[in-house]
Amino acid sequence: MNRRSFLTTAAALTPAALAQSQRDWSGKEPVRYTDPDIISLDKRFDKYKIGNTSVQRLWTGALWAEGTAWSGQGRYLVWSDIPNNRQMRWMEEDGHVSTFRASDYSNGNTFDFEGRQISCQHAVRRVARFEPDGTVTTIADKFNGKPLNSPNDVVVHPDGAIWFTDPPYGILGNYEGFQAKPELKEAVYRVDPKTTKIDKVTDELDKPNGLCFSPDYKKLYICDTGDPKDIQLFDVADGKTLRNKRQFINMNIPGKGNGNADGIRADIDGNIWAGAGWVGAGYDGVHIFSPDGQRIGQILLPEICANICFGGSKRNRLFMAASQSLYAVYVNTKGAHIT
């Protein structure tokens, strides 16, 4: 797509912002401040930009990077390299990257309020929790006696309930799991922390993918990477059920791009940060939306961004899993939730 025409329709930008930087993404060459790939489309985004910082590529070498999650206890970032059937770990102390564990083709990850990692595993079609003693607990692998499709992304509510999406991406072929026939309609589920009962909270989306709560946990945002490629918004009633479905933002830009939002997070001001892609230069990266559903900023990346999270000791560093690489940038806000 023509990046200049897209950005011109989105907002009036400076000449520097209209030309994507030709940086050396190997990290060998410095980036002139301010980073031209951090773009304000609305003045409301200006306060979240830090003038003397830039987007950094921390690591590359994945086949399809997904599922970023920050461990506050361990001071590390974990993410999935799905086709390579592994989880990777980046250490805050020294930036060291290593293979963390074999993953059963895990996709989305998060940490609960006790610091335990929770993963969506394509190979065994389940949501699993890694316990401190090294054992693995199955949180959910069936609904009404039928196997789940391939749990994709997961979040934890303060009441301890685990919410996850279940599209079929991990069983459509043998690249991100094992090919199988779906037996359940794509849906979003909640696992009760006391009874372990699994309830379907909605099956109204075509391909439910990334999800996140609003800062007060009264709303749930869910990406639909099927049709029409948008982010849907629900009210969370009594902490357990969803009501009042409506479109938050349509990721399709008529005449410009047919991209989608994949993984999403909320910041403390209620803005929604969405990993986005499948269009190309000027679109792929992170899109930032105000609470009223206006696109106010972008962080452009040279690869498709699948998943993001806030992390670091101050939760003010945005980590981005994008195709083969891991990127990060400091921002002048914080993640609303623990991961």
Side-chain angles (χ1 to χ4, degrees), residues 275-297:
W278 302 102
V279 173
Y283 187 101
D284 294 356
V286 178
H287 293 205
I288 301 92
F289 303 97
S290 62
D292 61 355
Q294 299 298 312
R295 184 182 279 104
I296 61 173

Side-chain angles (χ1 to χ4, degrees), residues 141 149 164-165 179 181 246 300 307:
D141 62 355
N149 296 314
F164 67 94
T165 58
Q179 188 169 11
K181 182 179 179 180
R246 66 269 194 196
L300 301 180
N307 205 286

